[in-house]
Amino acid sequence: MDKSAYETILQRLATEFRTIGHRWGKVVNLCDVPLFVDSRATRMIQLADVIAYAVRRYYENGDSRGFDIIKRRFDAQGGVIHGLTHRIPADERCNCLACRQKPTKPLKNQPP
């Protein structure tokens, strides 16, 4: 949402809410999410952009160079990734990392 028409208004409202408060009082602990932030404004947004780019390249172009660097950082337990999903039609097969780790179910109209 970089440079959206509402960016300035929403940033002002978020600042007022954080500093002035609301009708029930002032907010002491607020964890805000930067929905309207220029990706050059903070390193965390830049990092999110790089991760999104690496994942998109992996799925759309089969380019795993960036993805191979970050794939061990997704949430996992017992070697099974939980923080990365890939949705495909039920009758299709995929060999991506997320799909390889899904529990195997027989396709419809096929014996188990």
Side-chain angles (χ1 to χ4, degrees), residues 45-108:
I45 296 299
Q46 292 173 358
L47 180 60
D49 284 348
V50 169
I51 291 168
Y53 179 75
V55 171
R56 184 183 65 79
R57 293 285 304 173
Y58 177 67
Y59 283 110
E60 289 184 5
N61 301 92
D63 181 355
S64 66
R65 289 176 294 180
F67 185 77
D68 287 343
I69 296 168
I70 63 171
K71 68 183 177 186
R72 289 182 283 298
R73 299 296 185 175
F74 286 95
D75 183 36
Q77 184 176 14
V80 177
I81 292 179
H82 301 289
L84 178 67
T85 59
H86 182 213
R87 296 183 59 102
I88 58 170
D91 60 341
E92 288 185 20
R93 299 231 183 245
C94 176
N95 196 34
C96 77
L97 180 63
C99 292
R100 284 193 313 258
Q101 294 186 358
K102 286 181 188 173
T104 56
K105 292 187 260 181
L107 294 176
K108 292 179 183 178

Side-chain angles (χ1 to χ4, degrees), residues 8-78:
T8 305
I9 296 167
L10 291 173
Q11 285 181 346
R12 182 180 49 79
L13 286 172
T15 300
E16 288 176 8
F17 186 76
R18 194 171 43 250
T19 57
I20 298 170
H22 48 78
R23 65 179 171 181
W24 297 287
K26 194 168 181 178
V27 177
V28 179
N29 297 315
L30 178 66
C31 180
D32 48 326
V33 178
L35 298 176
F36 296 90
V37 173
D38 187 331
S39 62
R40 292 171 290 182
T42 172
R43 289 185 300 259
M44 293 306 287
I45 296 299
Q46 292 173 358
L47 180 60
D49 284 348
V50 169
I51 291 168
Y53 179 75
V55 171
R56 184 183 65 79
R57 293 285 304 173
Y58 177 67
Y59 283 110
E60 289 184 5
N61 301 92
D63 181 355
S64 66
R65 289 176 294 180
F67 185 77
D68 287 343
I69 296 168
I70 63 171
K71 68 183 177 186
R72 289 182 283 298
R73 299 296 185 175
F74 286 95
D75 183 36
Q77 184 176 14

